[in-house]
Amino acid sequence: MALAHAILALLVDSPHTGYELAKEFDGSVGYFWNATHQQIYRELAKLEGQGWVRVEVIPQEGRPDRKRHSITDLGLAELSHWVATPGDIAPMKDDLLVKMFVGNLVPRSTMMQELTRHQHLHEERLAFYRQVEQKFFPEVAQLSQQDRFRYLTLRRGIRYEQDWIAWCAEVLAAFEEE
Amino acid sequence: MALAHAILALLVDSPHTGYELAKEFDGSVGYFWNATHQQIYRELAKLEGQGWVRVEVIPQEGRPDRKRHSITDLGLAELSHWVATPGDIAPMKDDLLVKMFVGNLVPRSTMMQELTRHQHLHEERLAFYRQVEQKFFPEVAQLSQQDRFRYLTLRRGIRYEQDWIAWCAEVLAAFEEE
DNA sequence: TAGTACATGTAACAGGTTACATGATTGA
DNA sequence: TCAATCATGTAACCTGTTACATGTACTA
């Protein structure tokens, strides 16, 4: 159910096309959700059927018409209700940790390379979130009520990447001691 | 594909029944994977078909026979190959962060309660991982090669919970300033 | 001239969730 | 006596992934 709500959350601010939503999940809000465009198009059709979003078709030439999706009052009521509903903590699932768990099956250097590569990937993500931070939340003391929430959410993404990087360093250091 | 490999990883040490695997994913290795028993039974049947695991039926009375699953040489070869294959970083998905993103839709106290509740849940998880740490890895300096990998994997789970707790504290402090 | 961005979509398949079903034993 | 643990499983459904399809405009 949460993909629906994640989409509604992005529509609170402003209408989006499916294409735009896919880009946002892939980028600036990647620290809390992700989905492919196929999933999003399917979900948007369902949301429209439920009356939670409204669609405005903007004709274009040479490429498919844009379909601007806005949240309806009903959609906003549903989203608000969901936000106020207690939920569980998200279960973890991570390929790299499964690999680490049985890391002794492969040469040490193979694991170290993969760890180093992941550390770089997390550093890239962190750098990107830092850019988002500077662009949208430059003066933390002067944020609107809404942006305060968004900034704190982004903080989770920043911390998460920092923590991954630190763990990679911890493991690499443990390996180098030998 | 990774559920298959997560199961194989647990079978490297010792044979397990589907029931036991479900309990482990739910408990001591919950910091890297999780799955319901239905998923596991379905996957084990597939793994047997592929020749990656072998099944021994242990008759019981009054309850269904136990089916002990062991990893085969073929399964071990497949697992080793997969471990050596580079992969992507895991995408994030978290309901609570979606809720935070649009937290201004509900009363401030509602969000603070939910945050506090999540902080407790993460504290419980952390306490559990600390128990696992004390039970299985009491003397870090004297671990076997295999246990060293497992300990470092558990470290990821511990750091992850600590980081969540710290973020919850950060957000709650930001709210209390007002 | 090759690749990326724009913008939508269908179809098939794989992975994950929820509900239901059985039935003995153990502990509070 | 009620709930939890043990131990398996089927069926229906929902969510997520991968491949394919179309076709323009802009940039390197």
Side-chain angles (χ1 to χ4, degrees), chain A residues 1 3 38-39 42 46 62-63:
Chain A
M1 281 302 259
L3 170 58
Q38 293 84 349
Q39 252 182 294
R42 182 167 53 185
K46 214 191 288 177
R63 61 183 63 168

Side-chain angles (χ1 to χ4, degrees), chain B residues 1 3 33 36 38-39 42-43 46 62-64:
Chain B
M1 284 300 262
L3 170 58
W33 209 263
T36 60
Q38 293 83 348
Q39 254 181 293
R42 182 166 51 184
E43 197 67 34
K46 214 191 288 179
R63 61 182 63 167

Side-chain angles (χ1 to χ4, degrees), chain B:
Chain B
M1 284 300 262
L3 170 58
H5 295 100
I7 289 173
L8 291 176
L10 292 187
L11 298 182
V12 165
D13 260 13
S14 60
H16 286 73
T17 66
Y19 188 84
E20 288 163 350
L21 288 166
K23 272 208 311 183
E24 285 213 48
F25 283 133
D26 211 51
S28 59
V29 300
Y31 48 84
F32 71 69
W33 209 263
N34 84 94
T36 60
H37 77 274
Q38 293 83 348
Q39 254 181 293
I40 291 164
Y41 286 126
R42 182 166 51 184
E43 197 67 34
L44 282 171
K46 214 191 288 179
L47 289 174
E48 197 194 347
Q50 284 168 304
W52 295 355
V53 306
R54 179 192 317 118
V55 184
E56 179 198 356
V57 178
I58 300 164
Q60 293 201 131
E61 281 167 40
R63 61 182 63 167
D65 295 343
R66 305 181 78 222
K67 293 172 75 175
R68 253 166 65 111
H69 299 260
S70 314
I71 192 167
T72 61
D73 289 346
L74 197 64
L76 198 62
E78 166 57 33
L79 181 60
S80 304
H81 175 258
W82 179 77
V83 171
T85 307
D88 282 330
I89 58 178
M92 275 196 85
K93 274 197 182 181
D94 202 299
D95 283 18
L96 182 63
L97 296 181
V98 179
K99 289 173 182 173
M100 267 293 285
F101 192 78
V102 289
N104 59 315
L105 295 179
V106 298
R108 180 66 53 96
S109 59
T110 305
M111 277 312 296
M112 287 185 75
Q113 271 169 42
E114 184 64 354
L115 239 13
T116 306
R117 204 173 58 81
H118 274 251
Q119 195 177 29
H120 289 325
L121 291 172
H122 286 294
E123 275 162 0
E124 276 172 33
R125 271 262 123 195
L126 177 58
F128 174 67
Y129 292 152
R130 288 291 190 200
Q131 277 177 30
V132 174
E133 186 181 26
Q134 284 192 353
K135 188 170 171 195
F136 295 105
F137 315 103
E139 287 275 8
V140 175
Q142 284 158 36
L143 295 176
S144 70
Q145 217 42 256
Q146 195 185 62
D147 281 347
R148 239 171 152 99
F149 276 103
R150 293 180 182 192
Y151 174 66
L152 289 167
T153 312
L154 173 62
R155 282 288 303 155
R156 183 72 201 100
I158 289 172
R159 292 192 72 114
Y160 177 78
E161 300 303 336
Q162 287 175 330
D163 195 45
W164 259 105
I165 293 162
W167 176 79
C168 288
E170 185 183 322
V171 176
L172 289 168
F175 281 166
E176 268 155 22
E177 266 174 27
E178 286 152 42

